[in-house]
Amino acid sequence: MAFLDFAQALAGPQMAVGAARPAPAVPAISVEAQATDFSAQEWQIVDLARTDGLRSLRGPGSFARLRKWIWGEEHSPTLASERLEALRRLAVEAWHKGYAVSLSALAAFRAAGFSTAQLELLLATISAGRTARVPRS
């Protein structure tokens, strides 16, 4: 069994009055660092969100419901993964509105497990892409 003599650590060399004390040793704690980048799949979602319209953020309209009723086909722009869907929704808003995204999209993005650093990176990247985009004639 190991024994630590704490009294010996306190009875170290005498220090002059006003002299700086050495900083205590901080134990190494395994803390998972917050992600600051996106995976390749997540960047692909952000890139594909450029072509999605704001309409893709709303539910199916009356024409889509009629088409499903008549032909049985259904087209859903939402992704199966809730995490990736939160990323897509925020990216679509950012491509169309810039930094003026809705609070609900920000809350869903944060609830999906993305960090503040990722949010800043996403908005800055999309903002740079918006200014570099050439308008169609």
Side-chain angles (χ1 to χ4, degrees):
M1 175 180 268
F3 174 77
L4 295 175
D5 186 6
F6 292 107
Q8 183 181 12
L10 294 176
Q14 296 297 328
M15 298 184 67
V17 175
R21 292 186 171 249
V26 178
I29 300 173
S30 175
V31 176
E32 188 175 316
Q34 285 189 336
T36 57
D37 200 3
F38 294 105
S39 68
Q41 181 185 28
E42 292 167 341
W43 279 120
Q44 186 177 16
I45 297 295
V46 171
D47 190 43
L48 291 173
R50 175 186 289 205
T51 59
D52 288 350
L54 289 173
R55 176 81 175 102
S56 71
L57 301 179
R58 289 183 259 148
S62 57
F63 182 71
R65 288 192 303 262
L66 179 66
R67 186 176 57 214
K68 180 183 177 188
W69 182 70
I70 294 173
W71 290 287
E73 64 183 50
E74 183 177 8
H75 173 70
S76 176
T78 60
L79 300 173
S81 168
E82 290 182 19
R83 178 178 166 85
L84 293 178
E85 178 60 17
L87 174 64
R88 184 192 77 84
R89 294 178 74 82
L90 184 68
V92 167
E93 282 195 28
W95 280 116
H96 289 280
K97 300 178 183 178
Y99 285 98
V101 294
S102 67
L103 292 177
S104 61
L106 290 173
F109 183 80
R110 293 296 306 217
F114 291 104
S115 68
T116 304
Q118 287 175 312
L119 173 64
E120 292 171 356
L121 175 65
L122 175 70
L123 293 177
T125 303
I126 289 177
S127 177
R130 283 171 44 107
T131 58
R133 187 172 19 173
V134 178
R136 295 181 185 173
S137 332

